[in-house]
Amino acid sequence: MAFSQAIAGRGVGDRVILAAVIACAALWVLPIAWVVLLSFKPNSELMMSTASAFRAPYTVKNYTDVAATSGVPHWFANSIIVAGSATLVTLIVASLAGYGFARTEFPFKRTLFVIVLLGLAVPEQAVIIARHQLFTDWKLHNTYLALILPSLSNPFGVFLMTQFFRAIPRDIDEAAMLDNASRFKTFWRVLLPLTIPAQATLGIITFLFYWNDYLWPLISATRPEMFTLTVGIASTQTNFAQSEGLGFLMAQAVLAGLPVFIFYLFFQRYIVQAVAGAAVR
Amino acid sequence: MSAAAQTPAQAPLLRARGAHIGPDWRSALFTAPFLLIFLGLLVYPLFWGMWISLQEYDMFDKSAIFAALKNYVALASDPIFLGSVRNTFLFVLLTVPAFVVIGLALALALNRQGRTAAVLRAVYFGTSVLSVTIVTIIWKVMYLPGRGLISVVLSLFGLAPIAFISSSSLALPAVAITTVWWIIGLPMMLFLAALQQIPAELYEAAVLDNASRWRTLWSITLPSITRTFVVVTIYEIVAQFQLFGQALLLTQGGPNNASRPIVLFIYETGFRDWNLGLAAAASEILFLLMALAAMLQYFATRRAEAR
């Protein structure tokens, strides 16, 4: 990239900028490092002072305690079940609808598509009270279904897939249909494999959304055994200032944050593309 | 190959399999699963929510009577709600300029090749993947008076600890700092993507003209990313309007309601006090404010594109 040199240059000024950004990055990591250090300190020591976090002794007792006594393993499993199945269902439903809107003709298609697009402007908070009532009437609160269903109604995935199907040249499916493939077969065998990049984008965004979602699980899952990891961890952090188990709480936070961080390290490029791409649409 | 090129022998066969190109009600089956969920869980609750906002709920037996605009009138004179509107606007004012300025500065500094820049980009974006719960835990033990990292560092310099969370003038800024730390990665990445779209020829011309770095930045770089500027600003306005988790978990809206945003008001009114009508009315007002922002986005991007 010739132009990046043109902006960044190679002079003294450039080195200063880079040094500043590196120093700032250290500040950015500092809070996380602080929490990790605290998580390895004995609780009794932290009661007195946290200044000792930078020196030994360190212990893994907080971690073994979390594994043995806290709800984290169970909530973790809940989050995997909810985010995993919601992602799978979103991909199926959005792909079908994307193909339907991009490639088929049926009565009122255009009107319906415009309504779906308008749905993009509706924030969760505008529907959450009626939705909560609805799930109360259906007696669905404190079930996995209640945690998965609501955000499936978000039109974003359908919008993304429709755009993607539209970008595929029509010759490809017309050729398949001339070979006597049914519509569904054309969709399933011929077009769907071409949409894998879009599936990856939508899959990552959906998974991260469900994994980190807070408001709806907070009001729908009221029984601790139905908490997702996000709600569960939040439920343990009420009385912080007086907490006798600061190290324990920190170990819980580290364990809860670790999986998504590892996921990020492995799929960093795709996650950045997916999230940034989604925001500008 | 086009449809017109079919041989007459093939055409009836195609129709028999139902694979013709024209309109067909069976094609609606592809969109049916989504439309069902969409209508049932988004469109229907949207209108039902508007209806609920016109009801007065009895908190004990949960019966409702029609109350017309009573809830809206009540909100207009409810100091806690009005305070939450003020806090929400204040929070948007605190965070959105920070997202734009810091995001752009980081993007300009990190728009370069090499391993160092890649690692730095990963660091700044990395915090965005954490959930709000983890983020607020991290910042609670940063702000904790006495035992938090900020206090520990201040004490090294012989300074007294600052009670961020329990100070009514510092609580909302503390939530804002946490939020900027959390999701600065997104505006940075959006600006980076825009910077990489700028044609290299423009910079080559600037080099030939011996333009200074400042001059290049002001006359070439910034004018080329106007659209992204607008997109980031309005995206962040809409996103920060929905402040909820950080405020609930860091400050519980306090002290003295100094950091309670609209969504937290809706949550507390609806799901703690079970005053559903009032909560629904507040959510309609939030919806209206956000719809205005979305409209602004639509017109502003169209204007930026027209340029």
Side-chain angles (χ1 to χ4, degrees):
Chain A
M1 271 179 279
F3 63 87
S4 63
Q5 267 95 37
I7 316 170
R10 281 193 177 139
V12 186
D14 184 49
R15 295 231 181 90
V16 173
I17 292 173
L18 196 61
V21 181
I22 290 172
C24 227
L27 269 178
W28 227 255
V29 181
L30 194 62
I32 296 176
W34 173 245
V35 167
V36 172
L37 283 177
L38 288 180
S39 74
F40 285 107
K41 292 299 285 184
N43 284 312
S44 52
E45 204 180 313
L46 294 180
M47 284 272 287
M48 258 86 79
S49 154
T50 51
S52 66
F54 298 103
R55 49 179 191 268
Y58 293 112
T59 167
V60 291
K61 185 168 180 304
N62 292 323
Y63 286 91
T64 50
D65 284 355
V66 170
T69 63
S70 90
V72 167
H74 185 78
W75 298 330
F76 182 80
N78 281 350
S79 277
I80 292 275
I81 292 169
V82 169
S85 39
T87 304
L88 189 69
V89 178
T90 300
L91 291 180
I92 295 170
V93 169
S95 302
L96 283 169
Y99 174 81
F101 281 124
R103 283 297 206 265
T104 66
E105 284 301 332
F106 56 90
F108 305 113
K109 186 187 95 168
R110 251 154 256 280
T111 320
L112 284 168
F113 191 62
V114 170
I115 295 172
V116 169
L117 282 190
L118 285 177
L120 277 174
V122 178
E124 187 190 17
Q125 296 86 358
V127 296
I128 203 152
I129 288 160
R131 227 181 229 172
H132 186 269
Q133 289 291 85
L134 207 61
F135 279 79
T136 307
D137 292 348
W138 293 342
K139 296 191 169 46
L140 276 180
H141 287 306
N142 289 307
T143 65
Y144 288 126
L145 207 56
L147 293 173
I148 295 166
L149 269 179
S151 294
L152 293 179
S153 65
N154 188 326
F156 171 74
V158 174
F159 177 60
L160 186 81
M161 294 313 295
T162 306
Q163 299 276 71
F164 207 86
F165 275 111
R166 276 184 182 155
I168 299 173
R170 272 186 185 269
D171 304 0
I172 293 175
D173 30 333
E174 277 165 14
M177 302 228 298
L178 288 181
D179 284 342
N180 280 336
S182 71
R183 257 206 188 283
F184 186 74
K185 219 166 163 186
T186 310
F187 160 75
W188 186 252
R189 290 268 177 79
V190 183
L191 291 188
L192 209 57
L194 298 175
T195 64
I196 287 174
Q199 306 284 352
T201 302
L202 183 58
I204 287 170
I205 296 171
T206 310
F207 193 89
L208 277 179
F209 172 82
Y210 272 94
W211 189 270
N212 290 339
D213 193 18
Y214 183 51
L215 180 54
W216 174 256
L218 176 66
I219 60 175
S220 176
T222 49
R223 291 214 313 262
E225 67 268 27
M226 283 311 297
F227 284 174
T228 59
L229 194 55
T230 307
V231 176
I233 292 290
S235 74
T236 64
Q237 54 157 306
T238 39
N239 49 353
F240 235 69
Q242 297 86 29
S243 173
E244 292 169 10
L246 203 58
F248 177 82
L249 290 173
M250 295 306 110
Q252 247 186 353
V254 172
L255 278 181
L258 208 57
V260 87
F261 227 77
I262 293 171
F263 181 70
Y264 171 66
L265 287 182
F266 273 100
F267 299 102
Q268 200 211 104
R269 259 186 56 205
Y270 304 94
I271 292 175
V272 168
Q273 277 172 5
V275 176
V280 286
R281 283 199 175 86
Chain B
M1 213 193 298
S2 72
Q6 293 168 12
T7 60
Q10 267 177 320
L13 200 68
L14 272 175
R15 213 167 300 131
R17 296 257 191 140
H20 55 100
I21 313 286
D24 182 350
W25 67 270
R26 278 176 297 182
S27 300
L29 290 177
F30 283 102
T31 49
F34 174 72
L35 288 174
L36 208 67
I37 301 172
F38 176 74
L39 293 173
L41 293 177
L42 196 118
V43 178
Y44 174 56
L46 180 66
F47 289 104
W48 193 19
M50 291 176 187
W51 177 243
I52 291 176
S53 79
L54 304 175
Q55 309 277 325
E56 190 173 13
Y57 274 80
D58 188 301
M59 277 164 233
F60 298 104
D61 62 8
K62 296 205 175 149
S63 62
I65 46 164
F66 185 75
L69 295 176
K70 201 177 160 198
N71 290 319
Y72 291 91
V73 175
L75 284 177
S77 58
D78 181 340
I80 298 183
F81 177 72
L82 294 178
S84 76
V85 173
R86 188 197 72 106
N87 291 336
T88 306
F89 274 96
L90 204 59
F91 181 75
V92 167
L93 277 177
L94 282 171
T95 50
V96 173
F99 277 124
V100 172
V101 172
I102 302 174
L104 180 60
L106 285 175
L108 285 169
L110 295 176
N111 184 23
R112 61 177 90 207
Q113 285 175 308
R115 209 164 169 75
T116 320
V119 171
L120 289 171
R121 286 194 295 263
V123 166
Y124 286 109
F125 189 84
T127 50
S128 318
V129 299
L130 295 173
S131 70
V132 65
T133 324
I134 307 287
V135 169
T136 48
I137 287 188
I138 291 173
W139 281 88
K140 265 188 178 172
V141 290
M142 289 292 285
Y143 292 135
L144 213 59
R147 291 195 290 172
L149 182 60
I150 297 177
S151 281
V152 170
V153 172
L154 285 177
S155 71
L156 288 181
F157 297 97
L159 296 167
I162 302 172
F164 289 93
I165 301 304
S166 50
S167 147
S168 50
S169 56
L170 290 178
L172 199 62
V175 176
I177 290 172
T178 304
T179 308
V180 171
W181 178 84
W182 180 24
I183 39 182
I184 189 64
L186 183 61
M188 176 186 78
M189 286 298 173
L190 294 178
F191 279 123
L192 269 168
L195 289 177
Q196 292 178 352
Q197 303 281 313
I198 303 175
E201 295 86 67
L202 289 180
Y203 288 108
E204 281 157 18
V207 171
L208 288 180
D209 286 350
N210 255 334
S212 73
R213 196 190 295 179
W214 266 112
R215 177 122 189 99
T216 315
L217 177 67
W218 283 105
S219 334
I220 297 175
T221 310
L222 294 183
S224 309
I225 56 169
T226 320
R227 184 179 176 273
T228 309
F229 219 77
V230 175
V231 168
V232 169
T233 307
I234 305 199
Y235 173 87
E236 290 297 344
I237 292 176
V238 171
Q240 301 320 321
F241 246 105
Q242 306 183 49
L243 166 65
F244 171 68
Q246 305 97 292
L248 172 63
L249 293 168
L250 269 182
T251 65
Q252 284 93 42
N256 269 324
N257 307 317
S259 61
R260 175 175 288 99
I262 302 177
V263 182
L264 185 53
F265 177 88
I266 296 170
Y267 168 75
E268 290 174 341
T269 312
F271 301 108
R272 194 193 59 196
D273 308 338
W274 297 102
N275 193 343
L276 294 177
L278 197 66
S283 75
E284 297 308 328
I285 291 174
L286 178 74
F287 182 28
L288 193 75
L289 291 172
M290 287 173 59
L292 285 176
M295 254 152 71
L296 201 71
Q297 168 168 37
Y298 179 74
F299 289 114
T301 33
R302 275 215 348 200
R303 264 189 66 183
E305 265 162 4
R307 249 191 259 168

